[in-house]
Amino acid sequence: MKHGVSRQPHYSPVVETSFHVRYAETDAMGIVHHANYVVWFEEARSAFMRANGTSYTAFEADGVGLAVSEVQARYLMPARYDRLVTIRCWLENIQSRKLRFAYTVLDTASDQVLATGYTEHVCITPAGKVTRIPEKWREMLGQTMAK
Amino acid sequence: MKHGVSRQPHYSPVVETSFHVRYAETDAMGIVHHANYVVWFEEARSAFMRANGTSYTAFEADGVGLAVSEVQARYLMPARYDRLVTIRCWLENIQSRKLRFAYTVLDTASDQVLATGYTEHVCITPAGKVTRIPEKWREMLGQTMAK
Amino acid sequence: MKHGVSRQPHYSPVVETSFHVRYAETDAMGIVHHANYVVWFEEARSAFMRANGTSYTAFEADGVGLAVSEVQARYLMPARYDRLVTIRCWLENIQSRKLRFAYTVLDTASDQVLATGYTEHVCITPAGKVTRIPEKWREMLGQTMAK
Amino acid sequence: MKHGVSRQPHYSPVVETSFHVRYAETDAMGIVHHANYVVWFEEARSAFMRANGTSYTAFEADGVGLAVSEVQARYLMPARYDRLVTIRCWLENIQSRKLRFAYTVLDTASDQVLATGYTEHVCITPAGKVTRIPEKWREMLGQTMAK
């Protein structure tokens, strides 16, 4: 699992993660089932957190969580079993109570874009109430953006 | 697996399908993982087809396929294990080469909306080239809308 | 989602649950991916609990959980998208600290056996320590067996 | 995704693959859902094939497939989100028409065994008939064992 910082012009750094397409992720059309890109987006967010030396679990340890409030994906080219794919993930936007991550899924060998998408997240208390993103987390995520 | 036609004011009929939330669909937050709603949307489309006496496989038997080109979901309330959920699915739009299904996910007992979303699909040849939706299918799907 | 009690000769009643194969459950071989049968077994256990007027969540509310300690599945015939499948589930064995459920997966229309399997479960405390199955649960599950 | 050959005493080489636990793989118990180990076993087989410079798709290009006929898993310790896990996979047995892979799932940091299991596979024609494993593949897989 490699992750690095892309050199493409972006207002925030991009964290990359790469892995092979699993057979279980394919469907009867012979391609990766579209729901799995949503799982890949999430794994890319996990890699984004790891690249910052932290984790969702640290977030939860601070008594708040990030609930997914919206997801969108556009599918351009199919991915197939055993291909190496790279997911680029960056923080696109951060507000007081919510933030947005964006993603590009590429075929690693050809650099062809397979899909793009975003996810929006709201900060919630353990009781499920929307709350402010803790300053510590804003700073941590902000530093990522300024890297 | 029940399915029926909703009585709510809609320009097209709504096909409903209901099932219990599976334990495997939950995540460490104790709620249904957001990627599973995309799978539920698809199962609702399958029920939509079955309500029309047909199936995706019939579509494929006609030498074309429907590839998912976009998906969007908004998450309002979490779903939990063992709850009965109802997915309402309707054809929102049909063009020459693409169509859009829309969805509402409800908690069956309380009728509370858990999520909403849509999927867009393009008609493709077995080689993956975008093509016109066969007339037979436009009619079949159109009849559904006129029902 | 129907469930009933099988009339086949068995030392304990069999609870059945039926559903359509989801497209997301298929793989590039055009058949249901083998890992999904493990999910179906679990859904059959959920139906078993519901047929007894209870739920895993009730189990957890009593301060214990059932952790899966072993799973085995044998695959005889492939299942395909949109087919109606029936899972038969029964309690095969119950000891002080563990129990075993057994399963048969059938194609509902043809009654052809697609797969068989079992799962073993140990009763655990919230801390993950193996403990005795509470008497209340032994009775409840025993009544199921005696039904 | 690293893979290497284990140094532990084994009659056949062991191919390792490591990856982080995905959030989507957890369930409401806060641990990895047991069905995902079956997916991990499969990903370990894919790594085994890649370590041999080949792939399942090459197998399929030769006009035969490997159908999973049996799977068994024993769960010893739970895996949790974001942990790095290592799957060790080796060919345990090969006969004229079927073969068996075995697996050990470890927590990479602690080397603690989380689960063990095996899968059996029969060689099938595109029509689904059981057939002999092609000599070319027996040799390739045999060389792996002799490595």
Side-chain angles (χ1 to χ4, degrees):
Chain A
M1 192 89 59
K2 60 172 184 171
H3 45 69
V5 174
S6 151
R7 254 159 249 97
Q8 66 182 144
H10 241 297
Y11 85 97
S12 94
V14 175
V15 173
E16 290 186 7
T17 183
S18 296
F19 44 80
H20 288 92
V21 173
R22 297 175 177 181
Y23 202 86
E25 292 172 336
T26 62
D27 66 20
M29 276 193 175
I31 61 176
V32 171
H33 188 269
H34 61 285
N36 291 311
Y37 289 79
V38 178
V39 174
W40 292 357
F41 290 171
E42 184 180 60
E43 182 52 21
R45 288 197 300 279
S46 292
F48 183 93
M49 298 300 254
R50 285 194 291 266
N52 282 290
T54 187
S55 161
Y56 273 125
T57 50
F59 219 108
E60 284 167 19
D62 282 352
V64 291
L66 276 184
V68 179
S69 53
E70 188 175 329
V71 64
Q72 192 254 29
R74 286 214 174 91
Y75 306 95
L76 308 175
M77 294 284 296
R80 289 176 198 281
Y81 166 63
D82 216 28
R83 293 294 295 181
L84 194 61
V85 291
T86 297
I87 323 292
R88 290 185 181 150
C89 169
W90 63 97
L91 188 61
E92 199 177 72
N93 193 277
I94 186 161
Q95 294 172 258
S96 65
R97 289 153 185 267
K98 72 180 200 178
L99 48 82
R100 180 193 278 226
F101 283 104
Y103 313 88
T104 305
V105 181
L106 302 125
D107 180 81
T108 310
S110 69
D111 228 42
Q112 193 164 33
V113 177
L114 305 176
T116 62
Y118 68 78
T119 51
E120 288 195 350
H121 307 257
V122 288
C123 191
I124 54 164
T125 63
K129 209 175 128 69
V130 176
T131 186
R132 287 184 65 87
I133 299 168
E135 203 51 42
K136 166 185 168 182
W137 282 94
R138 297 183 58 81
E139 271 170 35
M140 188 282 286
L141 293 164
Q143 283 167 351
T144 308
M145 294 183 73
K147 232 190 246 175
Chain B
M1 195 86 66
K2 60 170 186 170
H3 45 69
V5 173
S6 151
R7 255 159 251 97
Q8 66 182 147
H10 240 295
Y11 84 96
S12 95
V14 175
V15 174
E16 292 186 6
T17 184
S18 296
F19 43 81
H20 288 93
V21 172
R22 297 175 176 180
Y23 202 87
E25 293 171 336
T26 60
D27 66 21
M29 275 193 176
I31 61 176
V32 172
H33 187 269
H34 62 286
N36 291 313
Y37 289 78
V38 178
V39 174
W40 290 357
F41 289 172
E42 184 180 60
E43 183 51 20
R45 289 196 301 281
S46 293
F48 184 92
M49 299 299 253
R50 284 194 291 268
N52 282 290
T54 188
S55 162
Y56 272 125
T57 49
F59 220 107
E60 284 167 19
D62 283 352
V64 292
L66 277 184
V68 179
S69 53
E70 188 174 328
V71 64
Q72 192 252 30
R74 285 213 175 94
Y75 306 94
L76 307 176
M77 291 286 294
R80 290 176 197 278
Y81 167 62
D82 217 30
R83 292 295 294 180
L84 194 60
V85 290
T86 297
I87 324 293
R88 290 186 181 150
C89 169
W90 64 97
L91 187 61
E92 197 176 72
N93 193 278
I94 185 161
Q95 295 171 256
S96 64
R97 290 153 185 267
K98 72 180 200 181
L99 48 82
R100 180 192 276 225
F101 283 103
Y103 313 88
T104 304
V105 180
L106 302 127
D107 180 80
T108 310
S110 69
D111 229 42
Q112 193 165 33
V113 177
L114 305 176
T116 62
Y118 67 78
T119 52
E120 289 195 350
H121 306 256
V122 289
C123 191
I124 54 163
T125 63
K129 206 174 130 69
V130 175
T131 188
R132 288 183 65 85
I133 299 168
E135 202 51 40
K136 165 185 167 182
W137 282 93
R138 295 184 58 78
E139 272 170 35
M140 187 282 288
L141 293 165
Q143 283 167 349
T144 308
M145 294 184 73
K147 230 190 248 175
Chain C
M1 194 87 62
K2 61 170 183 171
H3 47 68
V5 174
S6 153
R7 255 157 250 97
Q8 66 181 144
H10 240 297
Y11 86 96
S12 95
V14 176
V15 173
E16 292 186 6
T17 184
S18 297
F19 44 79
H20 288 92
V21 172
R22 296 175 177 180
Y23 201 87
E25 293 172 334
T26 61
D27 66 20
M29 277 193 175
I31 61 176
V32 172
H33 188 269
H34 61 286
N36 291 312
Y37 289 78
V38 178
V39 174
W40 291 357
F41 289 171
E42 183 178 61
E43 182 52 20
R45 289 196 300 281
S46 292
F48 183 92
M49 298 299 252
R50 283 193 292 266
N52 282 290
T54 188
S55 161
Y56 273 127
T57 49
F59 221 108
E60 285 167 18
D62 282 352
V64 290
L66 276 183
V68 178
S69 52
E70 187 175 329
V71 64
Q72 192 252 28
R74 285 213 175 94
Y75 305 96
L76 308 175
M77 293 284 296
R80 290 177 197 280
Y81 166 63
D82 216 28
R83 293 293 295 180
L84 194 61
V85 291
T86 297
I87 323 292
R88 290 185 182 150
C89 168
W90 63 99
L91 188 60
E92 200 176 71
N93 193 277
I94 185 162
Q95 295 171 256
S96 65
R97 288 153 187 268
K98 72 180 199 180
L99 49 82
R100 180 193 277 225
F101 283 103
Y103 313 89
T104 304
V105 180
L106 302 126
D107 180 81
T108 310
S110 70
D111 228 42
Q112 192 164 36
V113 178
L114 305 176
T116 62
Y118 67 79
T119 52
E120 289 194 351
H121 307 256
V122 289
C123 190
I124 54 164
T125 63
K129 208 174 130 67
V130 176
T131 187
R132 288 182 65 86
I133 299 168
E135 202 52 39
K136 165 184 168 184
W137 282 93
R138 295 182 61 77
E139 271 170 36
M140 188 282 288
L141 294 165
Q143 283 167 348
T144 308
M145 293 183 76
K147 230 190 250 173
Chain D
M1 192 88 59
K2 62 170 182 169
H3 46 69
V5 174
S6 153
R7 255 159 250 97
Q8 66 182 146
H10 240 294
Y11 86 96
S12 94
V14 175
V15 173
E16 292 187 6
T17 184
S18 296
F19 43 81
H20 289 92
V21 172
R22 297 175 177 181
Y23 202 87
E25 292 172 334
T26 60
D27 66 20
M29 276 193 177
I31 60 176
V32 172
H33 187 269
H34 61 287
N36 291 313
Y37 290 78
V38 178
V39 174
W40 291 357
F41 290 171
E42 184 179 61
E43 183 51 21
R45 290 196 299 281
S46 293
F48 183 93
M49 298 301 253
R50 284 194 292 266
N52 282 289
T54 188
S55 162
Y56 272 126
T57 50
F59 220 107
E60 284 167 19
D62 282 352
V64 292
L66 277 184
V68 179
S69 53
E70 188 174 327
V71 63
Q72 192 253 28
R74 285 214 175 92
Y75 305 95
L76 308 176
M77 291 286 294
R80 290 178 196 279
Y81 167 63
D82 217 29
R83 293 295 295 179
L84 194 60
V85 290
T86 297
I87 324 291
R88 291 186 181 149
C89 169
W90 64 98
L91 188 61
E92 198 177 71
N93 193 276
I94 185 160
Q95 295 172 257
S96 63
R97 291 152 186 269
K98 72 179 200 181
L99 48 81
R100 181 193 276 226
F101 283 104
Y103 313 88
T104 305
V105 180
L106 302 125
D107 180 81
T108 310
S110 69
D111 228 40
Q112 192 165 35
V113 178
L114 305 176
T116 61
Y118 67 78
T119 52
E120 289 195 350
H121 307 257
V122 288
C123 191
I124 54 163
T125 63
K129 209 175 126 68
V130 175
T131 187
R132 288 183 65 85
I133 299 168
E135 202 52 41
K136 166 183 168 183
W137 281 93
R138 295 183 59 79
E139 272 171 35
M140 188 281 288
L141 293 165
Q143 284 168 350
T144 308
M145 293 183 73
K147 231 189 247 174

